[in-house]
Amino acid sequence: MTPSRSAPDEPVADDWSEVPRALRDGGPLPPVWAPLFEPLRHGRVDDLVVIGQIGQSLDGRIATIGGRLEYINGAAGLAHLHRLRAVVDAVVIGIGTALADDPLLTVRHVAGPHPARVVIDPRGRLPGGARLLADDGARRLVVTRSTTRARLPAGVERLGLPETDGRLHPAAILGALAAAGLRRVLIEGGADTLSGFLATGCLDRLHVVVAPIILGSGRPGCSLPAIGHADEALRPKVRTMALGDEVLFDCDLSVQRRPLGRARTALK
């Protein structure tokens, strides 16, 4: 992370290594990390904390028109994503991202524990050999329709939910994760999945990491229902922070977040 007005001191590796445990155990965070990660300690609406993350270009694209896995962001932006993974209980992606990218969803670029890995897979399309289903000690959960028969590897948990208007509602998904004891949740992608959680008022915060490139065309970071006038737009409180030559927009959406429930176990 590069020093900025929001982060006056440049953090060192030892600073970060304290954060994942301190956040969970209630201990103080190193001063340089506290402004960004302290808001993720407790939810303002209930005891859930739901964070969305987008890595995009200056013109709002997360991939080229082909949509294949590409790293729009640089090393600093990627490290920030892995820091988010290290402090949450679970990371969530949609089936489209799981099939297209076959991600690991582990913490590799920073110190910290692997989160539980969650795939929203209404029709049971995820292959048993998907890398995120690998048995490495982290919990693995697949969210499906209650009527879907999914063949999953041993140890993978299935959460079957009823559909609402032909889809699995984000609030119901988060409620099921809370019932499974997962309180701090990262919605990582793809664009349709993240857009659904944002549009339904299910995010406490949104982290947008903007890389200094212009793609010109490609997949947008999110798509929301049309509004008639600019004064209807979401206007969250925003903190900016430099991440190398990229910029992080930390958006506080807690004012519009809907109540979701409480976690089954007393997670910190």
Side-chain angles (χ1 to χ4, degrees):
M1 187 181 296
T2 301
S4 70
R5 286 180 292 179
S6 299
D9 302 308
E10 185 172 5
V12 296
D14 288 344
D15 284 328
W16 171 256
S17 66
E18 303 170 14
V19 173
R21 180 177 295 276
L23 197 69
R24 290 177 169 87
D25 294 345
L29 301 182
V32 72
W33 297 111
L36 190 57
F37 288 92
E38 185 66 34
L40 308 186
R41 194 188 294 273
H42 301 292
R44 293 184 181 181
V45 179
D46 44 40
D47 72 338
L48 275 67
V49 183
V50 188
I51 311 107
Q53 192 275 345
I54 303 173
Q56 66 177 45
S57 64
L58 283 170
D59 53 342
R61 308 296 181 179
I62 61 171
T64 57
I65 202 69
R68 68 182 180 87
L69 176 62
E70 296 175 293
Y71 291 112
I72 300 299
N73 299 101
L78 187 58
H80 176 70
L81 171 60
H82 283 235
R83 290 188 182 102
L84 288 176
R85 290 180 183 174
V87 301
V88 298
D89 302 321
V91 56
V92 177
I93 63 170
I95 184 60
T97 296
L99 294 176
D101 300 342
D102 194 19
L104 291 168
L105 302 183
T106 56
V107 177
R108 304 183 301 282
H109 292 271
V110 299
H114 299 320
R117 303 188 290 270
V118 182
V119 180
I120 304 170
D121 182 17
R123 299 178 181 84
R125 299 162 58 200
L126 186 68
R131 296 197 299 172
L132 58 83
L133 295 181
D135 187 1
D136 59 0
R139 290 178 71 180
R140 298 150 292 153
L141 302 93
V142 177
V143 182
T144 73
R145 297 182 299 189
S146 55
T147 56
T148 294
R149 293 185 177 182
R151 293 186 177 181
L152 300 172
V156 177
E157 302 169 58
R158 174 182 172 270
L159 302 179
L161 301 177
E163 288 185 313
T164 301
D165 297 327
R167 63 176 182 143
L168 301 182
H169 197 283
I173 294 169
L174 291 170
L177 294 179
L182 302 168
R183 184 177 71 83
R184 194 176 293 116
V185 178
L186 172 64
I187 310 300
E188 186 169 317
D192 291 343
T193 298
L194 181 64
S195 298
F197 281 81
L198 177 57
T200 53
C202 288
L203 296 182
D204 291 282
R205 304 192 85 85
L206 176 64
H207 285 193
V208 183
V209 181
V210 181
I213 60 174
I214 297 174
L215 294 181
S217 63
R219 296 166 55 194
C222 66
S223 298
L224 301 178
I227 58 175
H229 303 280
D231 57 9
E232 301 174 44
L234 287 174
R235 297 182 185 274
K237 294 181 180 179
V238 175
R239 175 191 291 114
T240 61
M241 183 176 293
L243 301 176
D245 62 353
E246 300 175 297
V247 178
L248 166 65
F249 290 79
D250 173 20
C251 308
D252 183 355
L253 299 169
S254 58
V255 171
Q256 60 99 48
R257 217 268 268 155
R258 63 191 296 165
L260 297 168
R262 302 190 67 82
R264 178 177 58 82
T265 54
L267 296 176
K268 296 179 178 178

